[in-house]
């Protein structure tokens, strides 16, 4: 088989592995028995769309989009590991890093290096872009929680997701989105009790 054909087969294997994210359900929603829980791919896609609206001058918007698209990529192999799975943070990070190495071994070096660098950037949380995307990760979770509460007509049912992010948002823009979401949610809670 020619070299290009082997390269394309590996690339298709990479795409197929990434496609697993469409089937991996977010563990938090599964544990809370949410009907039709979102996939990791859905979560990552909306985060990338949110990153389009990065408006702080110190942020590289395109880098934020890329970090959002890569941050949970390892879950296509290891799944959505949470604190309830009995796996230490160290072991989780090791498993995810090995998954990233495995996946990136399938693609050309330039792409592989960029994807690994973006993943590492998110994990280390040292750059403004990584911190912003972490805010988006948290915000997407509470927005999704609110959407599930609305869909299931059970306002307040997923309060623990809101509690887990209390005081954790760093970026003013995302804080404004959080405030707007809280206003909407508080109105929904008020309407349901009357």
């Amino acid at each position: 088989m020619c070299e290009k054909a082997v390269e394309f087969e590996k690339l298709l294997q990479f795409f197929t592995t990434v496609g697993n994210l469409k089937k991996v359900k977010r563990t938090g929603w599964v544990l809370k028995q949410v009907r039709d829980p979102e996939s990791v791919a859905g979560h990552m896609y909306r985060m990338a769309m949110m990153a389009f609206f990065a408006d702080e001058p110190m942020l590289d918007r395109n880098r934020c989009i890329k970090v959002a698209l890569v941050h949970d990529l390892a879950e296509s192999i290891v799944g959505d590991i949470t604190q309830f799975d009995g796996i230490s943070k160290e072991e989780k990070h090791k498993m995810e890093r090995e998954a990233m190495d495995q996946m990136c071994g399938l693609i050309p070096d330039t792409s592989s290096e960029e994807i690994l660098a973006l993943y590492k950037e998110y994990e280390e949380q040292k750059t403004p872009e990584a911190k912003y995307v972490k805010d988006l990760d948290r915000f997407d979770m509470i927005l999704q929680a609110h959407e599930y509460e609305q869909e299931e007509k059970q306002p307040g049912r997923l309060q623990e997701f809101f509690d887990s992010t209390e005081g954790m948002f760093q970026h003013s823009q995302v804080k404004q989105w959080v405030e707007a979401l809280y206003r909407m949610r508080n109105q929904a809670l008020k309407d349901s009790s009357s």
Side-chain angles (χ1 to χ4, degrees):
M1 196 180 312
C2 78
E3 191 175 315
K4 275 287 187 201
V6 171
E7 185 179 314
F8 290 149
E9 282 184 15
K10 285 183 174 183
L11 194 55
L12 291 175
Q13 188 178 350
F14 175 81
F15 294 154
T16 300
T17 303
V18 171
N20 290 339
L21 292 170
K22 295 190 276 185
K23 297 177 245 173
V24 176
K25 300 298 182 189
R26 301 261 291 159
T27 303
W29 308 132
V30 172
L31 293 174
K32 293 306 285 181
Q33 300 177 345
V34 166
R35 285 191 310 266
D36 193 26
E38 75 173 330
S39 69
V40 173
H43 162 66
M44 291 168 63
Y45 179 77
R46 180 157 67 179
M47 282 179 59
M49 291 304 298
M50 289 175 178
F52 259 96
F53 298 92
D55 69 351
E56 296 181 24
M58 66 180 190
L59 293 174
D60 177 338
R61 183 180 77 156
N62 290 332
R63 188 158 193 86
C64 290
I65 293 166
K66 288 179 177 184
V67 170
L69 287 171
V70 167
H71 85 285
D72 280 341
L73 200 55
E75 293 181 14
S76 63
I77 293 176
V78 300
D80 186 15
I81 300 169
T82 69
Q83 62 191 16
F84 304 107
D85 292 317
I87 296 172
S88 70
K89 275 189 175 184
E90 295 77 21
E91 182 63 19
K92 175 186 180 211
H93 290 300
K94 179 179 179 278
M95 291 169 63
E96 289 178 343
R97 179 55 199 230
E98 288 171 358
M100 291 299 293
D101 289 341
Q102 178 184 339
M103 289 179 70
C104 288
L106 298 170
I107 57 179
D109 287 346
T110 53
S111 299
S112 164
E113 289 166 6
E114 182 178 16
I115 289 172
L116 285 172
L118 291 164
Y119 170 78
K120 185 177 177 186
E121 179 177 343
Y122 181 79
E123 288 298 307
E124 291 177 350
Q125 286 295 295
K126 291 181 181 173
T127 66
E129 289 79 11
K131 291 175 182 178
Y132 179 77
V133 173
K134 186 66 172 179
D135 267 5
L136 296 182
D137 197 3
R138 292 180 179 120
F139 178 70
D140 181 65
M141 180 182 71
I142 62 173
L143 178 58
Q144 189 65 57
H146 174 68
E147 290 170 354
Y148 287 140
E149 288 177 343
Q150 294 300 106
E151 288 170 17
E152 297 179 4
K153 298 180 181 15
Q154 295 183 15
R157 178 170 101 79
L158 300 171
Q159 181 62 41
E160 67 195 79
F161 293 93
F162 290 86
D163 293 344
S164 73
T165 63
E166 191 70 38
M168 308 233 358
F169 295 96
Q170 299 179 27
H171 290 271
S172 60
Q173 177 190 39
V174 181
K175 285 179 182 179
Q176 291 172 358
W177 296 349
V178 170
E179 289 169 11
L181 176 59
Y182 268 84
R183 285 192 300 274
M184 283 176 45
R185 185 167 184 261
N186 288 337
Q187 187 60 51
L189 289 167
K190 184 178 168 186
D191 292 347
S192 73
S193 64
S194 52

